[in-house]
Amino acid sequence: MGHPAVAPRRLPTVLLGGLLPVAGWFILRPFLDPVPPLPGLYTSFGFSILAFLAVLYLVPAVKSNFVKANLYGKDLLKIYDDLIPESQGVVCAAVYILTLVCFIPFAFSDAFVSTKTKPEGISINEFPLYRLSVYLSSILSILIAAILGFLDDVFDIRWRHKLPIPIIASIPLLMVYFAERGNTNVVVPLPLRFMLGSLVNLGPLYYVYISLLSTFSTNGINILAGINASEVGQALIIALSVIVNDLLYLPFPIDFRIPVHLLGSQMEVEVGGVWSAGMSYGSRELVERHLFSLYFMMPLVAVCLGFIYHNWYPARAFPGDTLCYFTGMTFAVVGIQAHYSKTLLLFFLPQVFNFLLSCPQLFGLVPCPRHRIPRFDRDTNLLHPSKAKFITPPSGLTTFVIRVFSALGLVKMTTDPKTGSILEVTNLTILNFFLVRLGPMTEKRLVQVLMCSQFAGSILAFVVRYGLASIVYDGDRR
Amino acid sequence: MGHPAVAPRRLPTVLLGGLLPVAGWFILRPFLDPVPPLPGLYTSFGFSILAFLAVLYLVPAVKSNFVKANLYGKDLLKIYDDLIPESQGVVCAAVYILTLVCFIPFAFSDAFVSTKTKPEGISINEFPLYRLSVYLSSILSILIAAILGFLDDVFDIRWRHKLPIPIIASIPLLMVYFAERGNTNVVVPLPLRFMLGSLVNLGPLYYVYISLLSTFSTNGINILAGINASEVGQALIIALSVIVNDLLYLPFPIDFRIPVHLLGSQMEVEVGGVWSAGMSYGSRELVERHLFSLYFMMPLVAVCLGFIYHNWYPARAFPGDTLCYFTGMTFAVVGIQAHYSKTLLLFFLPQVFNFLLSCPQLFGLVPCPRHRIPRFDRDTNLLHPSKAKFITPPSGLTTFVIRVFSALGLVKMTTDPKTGSILEVTNLTILNFFLVRLGPMTEKRLVQVLMCSQFAGSILAFVVRYGLASIVYDGDRR
């Protein structure tokens, strides 16, 4: 093997020494007087720090175990041939799930406290069984997705065999949603109300929608992959966006206003005051839903941060399908359980774009090679768009689709100068699209462009959600 | 590799053709009038048939994937060197979990029906959230155990790293137990009542007991391993024993008496009549607990039956740690959730015996080689007890323990004729104990002896539970 071209990234021991007591303080803070208004949030933050440290230190520590277990690969877009441990997303998934499981007692600490301090009175203080079911079913769904991903990494399951699994993984979610006598009504946008009325009961279709959402979010990140840190980078920015959205609904001790009227909205968003956060308008239920979402998102950001340290260009570790599946399922779970699935979809704009762009290849109109990652030029160290070749002249429909895409500037095609028939076309992914529009660039630059587009998508999502939503919907959108 | 010595066992296609419609009938039966009294039981049985067929056909079908993924081994107790796929227990675990998840809606079908047919009245028909939490937490715990097993198979985790995992896996169980304001009282046996009173509140110690039970049952099967079909054989007989015990509490359309007075009990056990089964004495809660247990045990028997077909001597597939961990955790889960953990422990008599016998090796008194499986004699095809050698003369405590064990006939030792110091001793496992007592035998014979001892243990368990319990406990033991 010779000398490795990429040695493991060094880990600052001072980080471990410095962050451990910080984590300890956050975990213990709820037990100190005066008890903070949202004690679970402190513990969750403390656990997240521990999860971050665990991933940061475990990923390089278990490298040799992964290589020994045949879980390694070579980086296709590099000049060196080092063995890089593959599917280390399973480390993230394991740490993440263990964090969530250990956090269960703290998520229900208010139930423990209230049963202790209020023994008198006729109404028995009921344990929040519904919240517990939601919590358990969420972990269960995420765990099934993580296993699917890992089995896929180990056994290379065919895609049509694994397609139904996200649907099965979402059965626990559906059951809990039903148990709440799930509200399957959907508010109709103003322009359509003359036809449908103001509420439409989707009924069983709502459950189909939930299943499709899980399928999309688990696969959406997975098909936007192939360059260092692309998968974990997307997950990180989506999770941060969700956290920002959640924080809008939390009771803050400080009081501030967000000038959403600048975005064209009629309302003022005022954030502040315990249990009367701006967007929650004093609804305890809304606060609890977004707390639930934060309990799942903060550890996710933590494991993603720990992993991106090793996965960043040039990568020392690969995530495998495990990371894509479990992060995707986590987003679907919180979107469904905390009832903001439409807002969530807005954070997936680059993934939606990538999926729509990919459709002609996914559905067989355009030939789909095994890898659609950009082509690496070993001399310049730059990435170029990779291409799909037509062995036989394409059908009329395919030609039409590619010519439309080409006119929109989404792809570059090469045509036969004599017959005008299409010979090849750049692969239909967002990564190749960036390379077509912005020209060849390094892998590091490309992942930065991808993350910037994800970030820009989130900004747009907030504008649409809090600015434009009041145009198509009236009143408070909860 | 040459010609394989063990070709895959043939699968009768007539079985698939014949059992599929049977499974279909059982799954659909609850939807046909007249609805049977326990509709979920029919569906569960139908799903179990499907699970049996799935394991039966999947295990040989995915063999090449396992070998490709580096998951294979050689059978240490055979004369041939064929590659046998290892850790195929993951197929059982996957089929089992998917069966349980798909069954969730049917387990709560009565809740669906009752919300439909009783719209009037002031009391809202509540969804059985508590039962749902129990169900979800159980699947979650089993799933965590299954993953631990599979990660152990892939990465060979050190045992002190994996010891805390069953405890973490049981956190969901503990939470749900607490949520029910878990009864942590324990009925004190009659002979001890003069000291402790009739009830003792174990409080937090009860949760410690539950954690230890999960740890014991996950590891109990795992350390009684090493010969073909030993792991799945134990699991199968324990599961069948649990099912027999559950059936005693179910409302049968027929009415019969079990002559327990012959076993020294004062009471008569009468089994029969809808919702008034013999041991349930009309308690709907008891019936529901044992139904819950059956919902978990029937698919378990199914996947074990499907797997033992391929794992039986000479084995075409190995279970790996995955099977031991997930079956063990399943027993712990039903024992805790359906509140018969003490009865369950009685079904683990051979495992308890094996654990106690192993203690001197587990805790370092006696040297513990990597494998403690019996020694294979290639010429006679017989198994002999394997031995642990003392390189240095054993300490006084070790000598004492071995001499006691030897006097009890549990081990055979060799002593130095001059000094009297112990030179070697047969390894401290139940398998070596059988070989010491019954003489050398074939592997097939040994696994039959093991399964017979498990069966005899269950018979003894029933005698103790329903015969002798009335001596140490008064009244109805529920």
Side-chain angles (χ1 to χ4, degrees), chain B residues 43-266:
Chain B
T43 313
S44 178
F45 191 74
F47 275 163
S48 300
I49 296 176
L50 293 184
F52 166 70
L53 291 173
V55 170
L56 199 62
Y57 284 83
L58 272 177
V59 165
V62 298
K63 176 184 170 179
S64 60
N65 302 60
F66 276 71
V67 174
K68 223 184 290 168
N70 230 9
L71 293 167
Y72 59 81
K74 286 173 186 170
D75 201 326
L76 296 172
L77 306 179
K78 300 289 184 303
I79 51 167
Y80 49 81
D81 280 340
D82 289 39
L83 298 184
I84 312 285
E86 175 63 275
S87 70
Q88 286 214 317
V90 75
V91 175
C92 303
V95 169
Y96 182 68
I97 299 284
L98 290 187
T99 307
L100 287 184
V101 169
C102 292
F103 181 68
I104 297 179
F106 297 93
F108 298 94
S109 56
D110 52 341
F112 287 85
V113 172
S114 57
T115 46
K116 263 189 221 154
T117 56
K118 295 176 191 165
E120 78 287 337
I122 48 159
S123 75
I124 298 162
N125 212 309
E126 276 299 326
F127 193 92
L129 277 174
Y130 175 67
R131 271 205 290 143
L132 182 62
S133 311
V134 167
Y135 203 95
L136 291 172
S137 67
S138 305
I139 300 180
L140 192 54
S141 291
I142 297 168
L143 197 46
I144 294 176
I147 294 169
L148 164 72
F150 189 60
L151 290 180
D152 192 15
D153 283 332
V154 174
F155 296 117
D156 242 334
I157 305 171
R158 258 173 274 169
W159 74 271
R160 63 194 159 90
H161 288 163
K162 62 194 179 194
L163 206 62
I165 308 271
I167 297 170
I168 291 171
S170 58
I171 289 182
L173 294 184
L174 301 184
M175 277 309 295
V176 171
Y177 198 85
F178 174 86
E180 193 204 14
R181 9 290 13 268
N183 181 356
T184 54
N185 291 323
V186 169
V187 182
V188 177
L190 290 174
L192 297 176
R193 288 212 181 149
F194 72 97
M195 270 177 9
L196 302 167
S198 64
L199 276 181
V200 162
N201 188 358
L202 285 183
L205 277 183
Y206 195 86
Y207 297 95
V208 174
Y209 163 69
I210 290 182
S211 306
L212 287 180
L213 184 70
S214 331
T215 311
F216 170 73
S217 62
T218 44
N219 289 296
I221 296 177
N222 203 21
I223 64 169
L224 209 175
I227 63 172
N228 292 172
S230 58
E231 302 90 344
V232 68
Q234 300 167 58
L236 189 59
I237 292 179
I238 297 173
L240 286 172
S241 310
V242 172
I243 285 181
V244 169
N245 185 51
D246 287 333
L247 287 178
L248 292 180
Y249 293 84
L250 283 202
F252 281 103
I254 47 161
D255 197 318
F256 62 93
R257 275 158 188 276
I258 300 174
V260 274
H261 61 273
L262 298 181
L263 302 174
S265 169
Q266 297 299 315

Side-chain angles (χ1 to χ4, degrees), chain B residues 263-283:
Chain B
L263 302 174
S265 169
Q266 297 299 315
M267 66 185 171
E268 282 288 300
V269 175
E270 191 183 337
V271 178
V274 175
W275 295 119
S276 64
M279 308 302 295
S280 291
Y281 300 104
S283 153

Side-chain angles (χ1 to χ4, degrees), chain B residues 281-409:
Chain B
Y281 300 104
S283 153
R284 180 163 186 136
E285 197 185 346
L286 267 181
V287 172
E288 274 183 353
R289 281 178 189 171
H290 287 279
L291 262 184
F292 167 87
S293 169
L294 279 174
Y295 292 161
F296 279 76
M297 283 298 129
M298 290 199 301
L300 190 69
V301 166
V303 297
C304 286
L305 272 181
F307 190 69
I308 207 170
Y309 184 77
H310 302 287
N311 187 222
W312 189 253
Y313 177 90
R316 270 72 168 176
F318 290 150
D321 291 340
T322 317
L323 189 102
C324 307
Y325 275 75
F326 103 83
T327 53
M329 195 66 190
T330 306
F331 294 128
V333 159
V334 293
I336 293 162
Q337 304 278 37
H339 300 258
Y340 56 78
S341 57
K342 278 176 288 183
T343 310
L344 182 77
L345 273 177
L346 288 176
F347 294 137
F348 273 82
L349 285 179
Q351 284 73 28
V352 173
F353 176 78
N354 186 54
F355 174 71
L356 294 177
L357 189 61
S358 297
C359 278
Q361 280 191 310
L362 295 181
F363 296 113
L365 279 180
V366 174
C368 187
R370 172 123 177 70
H371 288 289
R372 301 191 296 162
I373 52 171
R375 184 173 58 81
F376 177 56
D377 184 339
R378 300 174 78 91
D379 298 325
T380 59
N381 206 28
L382 294 179
L383 298 183
H384 299 263
S386 61
K387 287 170 183 174
K389 286 194 172 65
F390 289 96
I391 297 157
T392 55
S395 68
L397 176 61
T398 304
T399 306
F400 172 74
V401 169
I402 293 178
R403 286 194 181 277
V404 170
F405 277 16
S406 178
L408 292 170

Side-chain angles (χ1 to χ4, degrees), chain A residues 104-425:
Chain A
I104 296 179
F106 298 92
F108 298 94
S109 56
D110 53 341
F112 288 85
V113 173
S114 58
T115 47
K116 262 189 225 156
T117 56
K118 295 177 192 166
E120 79 287 337
I122 47 160
S123 75
I124 298 161
N125 212 310
E126 277 298 326
F127 193 91
L129 278 174
Y130 175 66
R131 273 205 288 143
L132 182 61
S133 314
V134 167
Y135 204 95
L136 292 172
S137 67
S138 304
I139 300 180
L140 191 54
S141 291
I142 296 169
L143 198 45
I144 295 176
I147 295 168
L148 164 72
F150 189 61
L151 290 180
D152 191 15
D153 282 333
V154 173
F155 296 117
D156 243 335
I157 305 170
R158 258 172 273 169
W159 73 272
R160 61 193 162 88
H161 288 163
K162 63 193 178 192
L163 206 61
I165 309 271
I167 297 170
I168 292 171
S170 58
I171 289 181
L173 294 185
L174 301 184
M175 277 310 295
V176 172
Y177 199 85
F178 175 86
E180 195 205 12
R181 325 25 317 274
N183 181 355
T184 54
N185 290 323
V186 169
V187 181
V188 177
L190 291 175
L192 298 175
R193 290 212 180 151
F194 73 95
M195 271 181 4
L196 302 168
S198 63
L199 276 180
V200 163
N201 188 357
L202 285 182
L205 277 184
Y206 194 86
Y207 297 96
V208 174
Y209 162 69
I210 290 180
S211 306
L212 288 180
L213 184 71
S214 331
T215 312
F216 170 72
S217 61
T218 44
N219 289 295
I221 297 176
N222 204 20
I223 64 169
L224 208 175
I227 62 172
N228 292 171
S230 59
E231 304 89 343
V232 68
Q234 299 167 60
L236 188 59
I237 292 180
I238 297 173
L240 287 172
S241 310
V242 171
I243 286 182
V244 169
N245 185 52
D246 287 332
L247 288 179
L248 292 180
Y249 293 83
L250 283 203
F252 281 104
I254 46 161
D255 196 318
F256 62 94
R257 276 158 187 276
I258 300 174
V260 275
H261 60 274
L262 299 180
L263 302 173
S265 169
Q266 297 298 314
M267 64 183 171
E268 282 288 301
V269 175
E270 191 184 337
V271 178
V274 175
W275 295 119
S276 64
M279 310 302 295
S280 292
Y281 301 102
S283 154
R284 183 167 181 130
E285 198 184 345
L286 266 181
V287 173
E288 274 183 352
R289 281 179 189 169
H290 287 278
L291 263 183
F292 167 86
S293 170
L294 279 173
Y295 292 161
F296 279 77
M297 283 297 129
M298 289 197 302
L300 189 69
V301 166
V303 297
C304 286
L305 272 181
F307 190 69
I308 207 171
Y309 184 78
H310 303 287
N311 187 222
W312 188 253
Y313 177 90
R316 270 72 167 176
F318 289 150
D321 291 341
T322 317
L323 188 101
C324 306
Y325 274 76
F326 103 82
T327 52
M329 196 66 189
T330 306
F331 294 127
V333 159
V334 293
I336 293 163
Q337 304 278 37
H339 299 261
Y340 57 77
S341 57
K342 279 175 288 181
T343 310
L344 182 77
L345 273 178
L346 288 176
F347 295 137
F348 273 82
L349 285 179
Q351 285 73 26
V352 172
F353 176 78
N354 187 54
F355 173 71
L356 294 177
L357 189 61
S358 297
C359 278
Q361 279 191 311
L362 295 181
F363 296 114
L365 279 180
V366 174
C368 188
R370 173 123 177 70
H371 288 290
R372 301 191 296 162
I373 51 172
R375 183 172 59 79
F376 177 57
D377 184 339
R378 299 174 79 93
D379 298 323
T380 59
N381 206 28
L382 294 180
L383 298 184
H384 298 263
S386 62
K387 286 169 184 174
K389 286 193 174 64
F390 289 98
I391 298 157
T392 54
S395 68
L397 177 61
T398 304
T399 306
F400 172 74
V401 169
I402 293 179
R403 284 193 184 277
V404 170
F405 277 15
S406 178
L408 292 170
L410 301 171
V411 296
K412 254 185 196 157
M413 61 180 185
T414 320
T415 51
D416 190 323
K418 285 180 235 163
T419 62
S421 152
I422 299 171
L423 294 176
E424 54 180 25
V425 63

